Amino acid sequence: MDKSQELAVSQMRKSVEKLGVSTEKYRDPTLMRFLIARSMDTDKAAKMFVQWQKWRNALVPLGSVTDSEVQDELEAKKIYLQGLSKKGFPIMIVKGSKHFPSNDQTQFKKFVVHILDKTIASSFKGREIGDEKLIGILDLKDLTYKNVDARALITGFQFVQAYYPECLAKCYIVHMPRFFVSIWRIVSYFLEKATLEKIKIVNNEEERRELVKDIGEEALPEEYGGQAKLVPIQDVVLPPLNH
């Protein structure tokens, strides 16, 4: 970080503490994510950080969501975790055709936290730094009206932009059916410009090649032009973190 960033982080820490929350456990790169998300405005970044802490403590009081808490969602095998891209970003794949709207919104929110936490944690080399990012692929192949869940998409993307700031490197949407275009317009309305700029809808062969080039053939599953096999997220075992 340069001196201006170091000063901004220092000021943000003071602003957060004035709001009654400690930043002691968090490294500078974590705080920088909030500053970047709020255009380096230290007060706005501090408020965002405090809101994140309150949200996290309310939804995930024990610090993490276990597989057993979201077993129903995991059993659908709709989320896959594929290793790291060329730039070292973990790749999460969502199969839309395996998703059905949930009657238990609390469990679904915990599920979103579970998969985001685990995806980001899969990029750690010993210890979290705080500036890790992920790549998402939303695959809408074979999607039917029964699978459509605009609320789930809005929840997922809003969680990313509000509670995982600057953690999304890019999200590719592949195999989008025509009927979904109007639904995507509704979802897009609820997303910030910065989030929308990271979402790429793959419509043609040139864009597909760009996806393969960005991620790399070794980590990308065969059905998307790579060489890897799909790995359900619950089959990925991560080593314990060093704190």
Side-chain angles (χ1 to χ4, degrees):
M1 291 195 302
D2 60 33
K3 287 188 176 180
S4 65
Q5 290 174 327
E6 288 176 1
L7 180 61
V9 167
S10 178
Q11 290 175 337
M12 181 185 162
R13 287 188 187 277
K14 291 175 183 175
S15 295
V16 170
E17 282 162 17
K18 283 180 183 177
L19 294 170
V21 174
S22 172
T23 62
E24 189 178 349
K25 292 192 299 181
Y26 301 96
R27 294 180 171 193
D28 289 355
T30 297
L31 301 187
M32 271 301 299
R33 292 196 288 111
F34 290 86
L35 282 162
I36 293 168
R38 289 297 174 258
S39 304
M40 301 304 289
D41 185 312
T42 54
D43 287 336
K44 287 182 179 177
K47 287 177 183 175
M48 186 184 191
F49 181 88
V50 171
Q51 287 170 348
W52 166 64
Q53 282 281 279
K54 288 179 178 176
W55 167 82
R56 187 94 195 175
N57 291 337
L59 189 62
V60 197
L62 298 178
S64 63
V65 179
T66 63
D67 284 13
S68 61
E69 292 179 79
V70 290
Q71 198 60 47
D72 291 348
E73 295 288 349
L74 285 172
E75 282 177 0
K77 289 195 174 181
K78 56 189 170 185
I79 310 292
Y80 300 84
L81 191 50
Q82 295 301 135
L84 304 180
S85 73
K86 286 182 177 179
K87 293 182 179 178
F89 303 145
I91 303 139
M92 178 178 72
I93 297 174
V94 181
K95 292 273 194 179
S97 63
K98 294 188 175 185
H99 172 79
F100 295 93
S102 174
N103 293 322
D104 187 341
Q105 283 301 301
T106 299
Q107 188 190 61
F108 180 75
K109 289 176 181 178
K110 284 179 176 285
F111 179 63
V112 174
V113 171
H114 175 77
I115 61 176
L116 289 173
D117 282 359
K118 189 167 183 178
T119 299
I120 293 167
S122 70
S123 70
F124 296 170
K125 293 180 179 177
R127 181 173 177 179
E128 178 180 6
I129 301 299
D131 59 357
E132 290 82 4
K133 294 180 183 289
L134 65 89
I135 292 177
I137 297 177
L138 176 57
D139 186 353
L140 303 181
K141 187 178 182 180
D142 298 327
L143 195 81
T144 69
Y145 284 103
K146 289 181 179 180
N147 307 120
V148 172
D149 192 352
R151 180 165 65 170
L153 271 177
I154 293 166
T155 296
F157 280 116
Q158 285 187 335
F159 273 21
V160 168
Q161 65 190 19
Y163 306 124
Y164 294 82
E166 297 303 307
C167 282
L168 181 65
K170 195 169 285 186
C171 177
Y172 291 98
I173 301 180
V174 299
H175 303 132
M176 182 186 283
R178 285 187 180 181
F179 78 82
F180 197 81
V181 173
S182 58
I183 297 160
W184 180 246
R185 285 199 193 102
I186 295 169
V187 173
S188 299
Y189 177 80
F190 292 91
L191 306 186
E192 295 174 3
K193 182 183 176 184
T195 303
L196 288 169
E197 287 173 349
K198 295 172 183 175
I199 300 171
K200 177 78 173 178
I201 299 172
V202 178
N203 287 313
N204 54 47
E205 184 59 27
E206 184 181 342
E207 290 168 345
R208 191 193 69 79
R209 284 197 297 268
E210 182 186 323
L211 182 157
V212 176
K213 185 179 178 182
D214 186 27
I215 293 176
E217 292 184 4
E218 286 186 12
L220 195 65
E222 293 171 349
E223 61 192 89
Y224 306 109
Q227 300 169 355
K229 301 292 184 184
L230 281 168
V231 182
I233 193 167
Q234 60 266 44
D235 292 351
V236 176
V237 179
L238 301 180
L241 293 180
N242 298 320
H243 291 288

